[in-house]
Amino acid sequence: AAAAAAAGGSGFRHGSFTASEVEEQMIDAVLEVVADPEEVALSKLREEVAAFRKELEAQSRGLGAAAAAGSFGEGRVAQLLDFPLGLVRFELSSGARPAADDQAVLEILPPFKFAAVAAGQRFELVNADSDADFRAVNARSDEAIRAPKNRFKQEYLETSGTPGDLRIGRIVEGDTAIVGSIYVYARI
């Protein structure tokens, strides 16, 4: 599931489209924008992202959102999924830091935390201290459990620090089930 990848506000909400329909549209739009970033002029890229954001807002009020800096702890990011009427929110958070060998790549780090928020209460469902532990909780294969940590290459990044900033990238290494997946995150 696309989430691309997790800052203050109510986040995105599902509208009349299914998650898979919205995900499909997001991936199509992102592929057009980031298919070959070296050849796309920055102004054209910004236009495409603005159009994508407007379409996404109009259709679904979203899929994934990036969490506020510091709201899940220093050096952590989160993916948030709000359900209609705000009755339930799922939060998946992890550590993240720029890779030593490439500052455009984020290494996704433990601890991995998965929680549900309902009726004003937060319920921690998973707190895993390694990629392998988190993948095992998800009933993954032995191969997936042994895969290296995930690395997320940032293809596009808005840095105003305000709600709506986008981070678009793809998983370039790690869990084979998601390598190559494109994630779109919007700051909330």
Side-chain angles (χ1 to χ4, degrees):
S10 64
F12 290 100
R13 307 214 185 278
H14 286 282
S16 60
F17 293 86
T18 67
S20 62
E21 289 171 327
V22 172
E23 177 180 341
E24 204 171 294
Q25 291 175 11
M26 289 172 66
I27 289 171
D28 288 345
V30 171
L31 283 174
E32 288 178 22
V33 174
V34 299
D36 191 353
E38 288 76 28
E39 294 181 19
V40 179
L42 185 56
S43 62
K44 177 68 174 162
L45 184 59
R46 288 180 196 261
E47 287 174 25
E48 292 291 333
V49 168
F52 168 73
R53 181 185 291 123
K54 185 176 181 180
E55 181 180 324
L56 182 62
E57 286 255 337
Q59 289 181 5
S60 69
R61 298 295 290 156
L63 244 199
S71 65
F72 284 83
E74 188 65 32
R76 295 187 62 76
V77 295
Q79 296 174 34
L80 312 176
L81 180 60
D82 286 342
F83 285 87
L85 307 175
L87 299 175
V88 177
R89 166 185 269 182
F90 287 111
E91 303 171 342
L92 174 61
S93 66
S94 66
R97 72 171 174 234
D101 62 333
D102 185 346
Q103 293 294 298
V105 172
L106 291 178
E107 294 179 332
I108 308 304
L109 308 166
F112 300 97
K113 298 180 180 186
F114 182 63
V117 179
Q121 299 279 342
R122 188 170 192 283
F123 304 93
E124 190 168 283
L125 305 173
V126 177
N127 186 350
D129 289 326
S130 72
D131 293 90
D133 290 346
F134 187 73
R135 292 172 186 156
V137 168
N138 287 295
R140 301 297 308 284
S141 69
D142 288 341
E143 177 188 3
I145 290 171
R146 289 189 307 270
K149 70 179 139 212
N150 293 330
R151 290 169 48 107
F152 175 85
K153 181 166 176 79
Q154 301 176 101
E155 305 280 355
Y156 178 82
L157 179 63
E158 294 177 338
T159 59
S160 75
T162 60
D165 276 359
L166 290 180
R167 177 188 308 256
I168 302 171
R170 87 180 63 236
I171 301 294
V172 294
E173 188 178 321
D175 184 346
T176 57
I178 61 171
V179 167
S181 295
I182 295 172
Y183 285 74
V184 178
Y185 294 99
R187 182 180 296 273
I188 56 171

